[in-house]
Amino acid sequence: MNKKRLLLTLLVCTAVLSVAAQKHFQQNLYSGAPSVKSSDKQDTARVFVFLPDARMSTGKAVVMLPGGGYEHLAMGHEGTEWAPFFNNQGIALVVVKYRMPHGNADVPVSDAEEAIRLVRQNAPAWHVNPSDVGIMGFSAGGHLAATVATHSRDARPDFQILFYPVITMDKGYTHMGSHDNLLGKSASRDEEDRYSNELQVADTTPEAFILLSDDDDIVPPANGVNYYLSLLRHHVPAALYVYPSGGHGYGINNYFRYHYEMLTELRSWLRRK
């Protein structure tokens, strides 16, 4: 065998071993019945776990919450399709198929919190540092991520990544579909304030990466911008990236004009923190 063929064979074998070393599996989020019951008994919570090669693991993990207006979930481009991006950096990814609220916000919030707990409970087996578990969400999933980041006591993430997030429940600039599905159309002002996460930021809120487009006509950019300003007022480290175009809902789809810039910014932020 000549040197070129030997080198090619070694490269192929290395690639195959690397892929084989990665672990991809799914499981129910709860081992038994969830503590918070849903009005839809057929709706179950699951997680899709993507672990990098243990030799590459940085110990960092991301719990990902796809968007969908609290009505459905965009499990692909705002979920499982992100696995190579994170795993290639040695970061574990856990995508959550959380339950829909049907007016009961405790349902998806409890699922997101349980996913954080699940990662920390499995930290040794999954080669994860339990103090380096972040949460990431898109649109309504961004609202859910920010809710856990600002409300949770025993499942607070160590960092948050929010893409074109719904942040507020203020009818003046929320996404009304998310508002109605999460809280119901007749939600009280107190309920709206409770889930307006720009009002819930504290000094202990985890650091944030926020990304959105200026021309988003689905979720007003003021959602993400006001959250960023609230984080700054509380001296919480935060990075805000506003692209001049792109609209809403692009996720990891490469049709987004600033796709590669976005991935570069996120990759750099993950390395710095």
Side-chain angles (χ1 to χ4, degrees):
M1 183 180 293
N2 61 42
K3 290 184 178 180
K4 287 185 177 180
R5 183 172 296 178
L6 176 60
L7 178 60
L8 179 60
T9 301
L10 289 172
L11 289 172
V12 170
C13 289
T14 300
V16 169
L17 287 171
S18 177
V19 170
Q22 295 176 0
K23 295 181 181 179
H24 304 165
F25 58 92
Q26 60 177 291
Q27 65 182 61
N28 289 331
L29 177 58
Y30 299 95
S31 57
S35 58
V36 178
K37 295 182 180 180
S38 170
S39 60
D40 181 357
K41 295 181 180 179
Q42 303 304 313
D43 192 9
T44 58
R46 295 187 65 77
V47 289
F48 298 79
V49 181
F50 300 86
L51 303 178
D53 183 337
R55 294 168 297 181
M56 292 178 56
S57 178
T58 62
K60 196 181 303 294
V62 171
V63 171
M64 182 171 285
L65 306 170
Y70 285 122
E71 183 181 22
H72 65 274
L73 295 177
M75 291 294 293
H77 66 286
E78 293 179 353
T80 56
E81 291 171 19
W82 280 87
F85 172 81
F86 286 104
N87 284 178
N88 289 341
Q89 297 177 73
I91 301 172
L93 178 66
V94 178
V95 181
V96 188
K97 184 234 162 235
Y98 55 92
R99 295 171 296 161
M100 297 298 98
H102 303 292
N104 182 359
D106 289 341
V107 172
V109 171
S110 63
D111 288 352
E113 289 183 324
E114 185 65 15
I116 294 282
R117 294 188 197 100
L118 179 71
V119 174
R120 289 178 173 150
Q121 289 165 2
N122 286 279
W126 294 358
H127 302 284
V128 167
N129 176 354
S131 297
D132 203 4
V133 179
I135 199 164
M136 180 174 181
F138 304 78
S139 193
H143 179 268
L144 182 55
T147 299
V148 174
T150 54
H151 289 65
S152 184
R153 294 184 179 180
D154 69 336
R156 181 169 293 176
D158 299 295
F159 58 91
Q160 52 183 318
I161 302 169
L162 310 177
F163 272 48
Y164 38 84
V166 178
I167 290 294
T168 194
M169 289 290 114
D170 184 323
K171 291 187 179 72
Y173 64 108
T174 189
H175 174 251
M176 285 306 301
S178 297
H179 171 285
D180 293 350
N181 289 324
L182 183 69
L183 302 179
K185 294 181 179 180
S186 59
S188 69
R189 184 56 186 267
D190 285 346
E191 288 179 295
E192 291 175 342
D193 286 350
R194 180 184 177 193
Y195 289 99
S196 291
N197 293 317
E198 77 280 12
L199 303 178
Q200 306 301 329
V201 173
D203 295 350
T204 54
T205 300
E207 60 185 302
F209 176 101
I210 306 166
L211 182 144
L212 51 91
S213 293
D214 187 60
D215 64 347
D216 191 335
D217 59 358
I218 304 297
V219 175
N223 278 259
V225 172
N226 285 347
Y227 191 59
Y228 170 76
L229 293 174
S230 185
L231 291 166
L232 287 187
R233 284 195 294 271
H234 287 83
H235 310 290
V236 176
L240 173 65
Y241 297 88
V242 182
Y243 292 103
S245 63
H248 186 82
Y250 35 83
I252 202 168
N253 285 327
N254 61 13
Y255 66 72
F256 175 45
R257 182 174 182 177
Y258 303 98
H259 172 79
Y260 295 105
E261 291 90 338
M262 171 265 289
L263 293 182
T264 298
E265 296 289 3
L266 179 54
R267 188 181 291 109
S268 296
W269 185 83
L270 287 164
R271 286 175 179 169
R272 288 197 301 269
K273 64 160 298 301

